[in-house]
Amino acid sequence: MSSSPPVHVVEAIHAFVAKMGIREPRLTVSSGSRNGDSYSGDVYRIVITPGSRDIEDFENNNNTNSSNRMHHSNHGATKPTTLPKPISVIAKVAPTTSLRRSLYNSSAHFQREKYVFDVVLPMFDRFQQARGLRTAKSFSHYPSVIVSECCEGFEYILQRDLMAQGYRNFPRTEPLAYEDVLLVLTHLAQFHAISFAMQQQAPDAYAQIVNQLHETIFVPPLHSSFVDFLQRKVDYAIETLQRNPETGDGAVAERLCRFRDEYGQAMVDCVQNRDDTVICHGDCWISNILYRPMPTQRNGIDDGHNNNGFNNHHHQPATAKELKFLDWQVARCATPAIDLSYFIFCCTDSELRERLPELLRKYHSALIRRMDELGTVNGRELFPFERLQMHMKKYARFGFGMALMTLHSTCCVEKDLPNVSAALETTELVDIDELAKDMLYNPAYIKRMSGVCRDMVRLGYL
């Protein structure tokens, strides 16, 4: 990743701040993501402050006409009487090397995210408003985009920096606590409910936006090198059972061996399902979810049982959390089980998954409640809990597949992660896999991955 964003991104920033009266901005650039969080593009954090010329103009303007709020120059330019505050933005920029662009299908994924922010989310917002849902209850848990561009080779998305608004990452290497898992599932339920409601009440509009959401990753036929890559991930998972043995692992390993040959096609089958589909976030793992503390009086996340998202309202934490979902580059039309299984098997541990039936029940209750609030008729009959269970039985292997691909890096502390983004500038996929081998001996990965394997079999998902 370059130390500064490309010229076309800098020009977009200049155009953005010019509207605020900043003509020569000073840009302070740093990395906008942790190592291991972003492979398909480079992420910059850019703090924009007025430059020396802007400060001089501001001082001259105030000295010349201190009684006016604004002063107009001979050329009609508007100058502020208060110096603009620093603005922090995030620039997501597509890679330029052909190998990295090809491996991560960069053009398609930047186009997808632009489409989601330009079309899908605004349409969802209008639908919620039209159904009388209060702004405070609406699903608007995503960053604000300033400008985006998807010309081939020059793709970027410029958005407001959520961390400047107090949002933070969850610790990537730690499995999430029950309250946080329930909060995420409740938000996903509210997001998925919009799709179900639109399919019933605005089917033509919904069909129009869904028609553009073609699959971008698991598209048949899968390249043989990708299939080999996936199969090696199963081999690594089997090794975690050997390094952390428990009674009954023989049956688990046997099932994994069968899945090894099914893996690639299973992922294709999961994303191709067209029964009971919604628009999914598609990349729902811990680094794509930010939070910030929320004052107690603003708590009230609905878990579907009027429990405000917690087991016992007498023991609520001092502050609840607000969430934002990042990185909509692989948003897809699919079963809700895609988002649920991806999140559950990549962001939780075996101890928490003992309560998975309870969590799925709460997700479903929140889903039906929001469908009802959006005016859906017979929402519980439209998507009964038994059908959600059936979808998890058939399609939770998608989340397992994503865990196989990602848990070794998720469990690795940042300082020990190889700089994969840099390596991708020159390295083939098989060599990238080689870079990750040291992470396979990490005790945290061995514990998490072996637990995922056992739970997939125990739950009847594999």
Side-chain angles (χ1 to χ4, degrees):
M1 175 172 144
S2 172
S3 59
S4 60
V7 172
H8 60 280
V9 175
V10 174
E11 290 174 348
I13 292 172
H14 278 250
F16 165 60
V17 298
K19 301 172 185 177
M20 305 174 186
I22 301 177
R23 293 185 295 167
E24 291 189 356
R26 179 173 176 268
L27 308 183
T28 304
V29 181
S30 60
S31 175
S33 66
R34 300 171 296 186
N35 183 24
D37 282 353
S38 179
Y39 298 128
S40 63
D42 296 325
V43 183
Y44 299 88
R45 172 168 286 105
I46 305 165
V47 179
I48 309 163
T49 53
S52 56
R53 182 181 173 189
D54 297 304
I55 295 172
E56 182 180 343
D57 285 350
F58 161 75
E59 292 173 345
N60 291 338
N61 183 46
N62 277 0
N63 289 336
T64 303
N65 195 350
S66 59
S67 63
N68 292 335
R69 295 288 297 173
M70 302 295 289
H71 173 73
H72 296 275
S73 71
N74 293 334
H75 301 289
T78 300
K79 299 180 181 180
T81 58
T82 57
L83 197 62
K85 295 180 180 179
I87 304 166
S88 187
V89 299
I90 293 292
K92 296 177 61 176
V93 183
T96 56
T97 61
S98 58
L99 174 61
R100 191 172 169 200
R101 288 179 64 84
S102 174
L103 283 177
Y104 287 96
N105 202 2
S106 296
S107 179
H109 288 143
F110 273 81
Q111 288 179 32
R112 174 60 48 84
E113 187 156 31
K114 179 176 174 61
Y115 178 73
V116 169
F117 278 108
D118 288 355
V119 178
V120 177
L121 294 175
M123 186 172 287
F124 273 20
D125 188 51
R126 290 192 297 271
F127 179 81
Q128 291 175 98
Q129 290 180 24
R131 296 307 177 273
L133 203 63
R134 298 196 317 272
T135 301
K137 294 194 72 172
S138 295
F139 183 89
S140 56
H141 305 286
Y142 44 85
S144 173
V145 170
I146 298 166
V147 63
S148 60
E149 181 55 69
C150 281
C151 291
E152 182 72 27
F154 297 92
E155 302 93 344
Y156 71 89
I157 295 175
L158 192 67
Q159 58 193 37
R160 296 280 185 174
D161 182 5
L162 289 170
M163 287 196 172
Q165 301 171 32
Y167 286 89
R168 295 292 179 265
N169 290 107
F170 288 99
R172 185 173 57 197
T173 58
E174 297 297 322
L176 290 176
Y178 180 90
E179 291 81 5
D180 294 326
V181 172
L182 179 56
L183 186 63
V184 173
L185 292 179
T186 301
H187 280 66
L188 288 175
Q190 294 167 353
F191 177 60
H192 295 160
I194 304 170
S195 291
F196 280 119
M198 283 193 73
Q199 288 176 73
Q200 186 183 80
Q201 301 170 56
D204 292 341
Y206 183 78
Q208 184 177 356
I209 59 175
V210 163
N211 284 341
Q212 303 300 315
L213 296 177
H214 306 295
E215 177 61 26
T216 57
I217 298 178
F218 298 103
V219 180
L222 300 180
H223 194 279
S224 59
S225 63
F226 187 38
V227 173
D228 291 343
F229 168 80
L230 296 177
Q231 291 181 338
R232 285 195 300 275
K233 297 301 182 183
V234 180
D235 295 337
Y236 301 151
I238 293 173
E239 289 179 19
T240 67
L241 296 174
Q242 298 166 353
R243 295 193 177 102
N244 183 33
E246 289 187 7
T247 303
D249 280 352
V252 177
E254 182 180 334
R255 186 63 194 92
L256 285 174
C257 287
R258 293 202 302 272
F259 182 72
R260 186 181 188 276
D261 296 329
E262 306 164 358
Y263 189 175
Q265 187 58 47
M267 300 299 275
V268 171
D269 292 343
C270 287
V271 299
Q272 284 188 340
N273 165 67
R274 287 297 173 264
D275 295 329
D276 305 309
T277 58
V278 297
I279 295 178
C280 293
H281 176 276
D283 198 10
C284 198
W285 72 299
I286 198 164
S287 288
N288 285 339
I289 306 169
L290 299 186
Y291 77 93
R292 72 177 176 187
M294 183 169 65
T296 303
Q297 63 269 24
R298 292 176 60 198
N299 292 356
I301 299 302
D302 178 22
D303 68 359
H305 294 285
N306 296 320
N307 288 333
N308 291 330
F310 299 99
N311 291 329
N312 187 330
H313 67 276
H314 296 297
H315 299 285
Q316 285 187 25
T319 57
K321 296 182 177 76
E322 295 179 280
L323 300 183
K324 295 286 187 182
F325 291 81
L326 308 179
D327 197 352
W328 296 74
Q329 290 192 338
V330 291
R332 49 166 61 97
C333 178
T335 164
I338 293 290
D339 276 347
L340 299 181
S341 63
Y342 189 169
F343 171 68
I344 288 164
F345 288 105
C346 291
C347 303
T348 68
D349 59 11
S350 290
E351 182 179 357
L352 184 132
R353 288 191 295 272
E354 291 288 340
R355 303 177 70 177
L356 183 56
E358 168 192 338
L359 286 164
L360 289 177
R361 179 72 71 175
K362 290 187 173 184
Y363 160 84
H364 185 261
S365 294
L367 175 75
I368 300 303
R369 180 178 294 273
R370 181 51 54 92
M371 288 167 65
D372 290 345
E373 291 171 342
L374 291 170
T376 307
V377 178
N378 297 326
R380 199 170 293 276
E381 295 179 14
L382 183 66
F383 191 63
F385 181 67
E386 293 73 22
R387 197 171 302 162
L388 171 63
Q389 290 178 304
M390 181 194 74
H391 276 259
M392 291 297 290
K393 291 281 187 182
K394 292 180 67 175
Y395 303 116
R397 59 185 56 196
F398 180 88
F400 177 54
M402 296 308 300
L404 289 169
M405 283 189 274
T406 62
L407 266 187
H408 60 288
S409 59
T410 302
C411 295
C412 186
V413 295
E414 186 176 358
K415 68 180 181 63
D416 294 333
L417 276 171
N419 191 336
V420 176
S421 295
L424 281 171
E425 300 294 338
T426 56
T427 311
E428 295 291 346
L429 185 61
V430 64
D431 295 325
I432 293 297
D433 195 33
E434 195 71 24
L435 278 176
K437 275 200 168 181
D438 286 344
M439 292 185 277
L440 304 177
Y441 302 99
N442 177 4
Y445 163 70
I446 293 170
K447 180 180 179 181
R448 288 272 295 276
M449 190 71 251
S450 60
V452 166
C453 295
R454 295 182 185 109
D455 285 349
M456 282 294 296
V457 174
R458 175 180 63 82
L459 293 164
Y461 293 167
L462 191 63

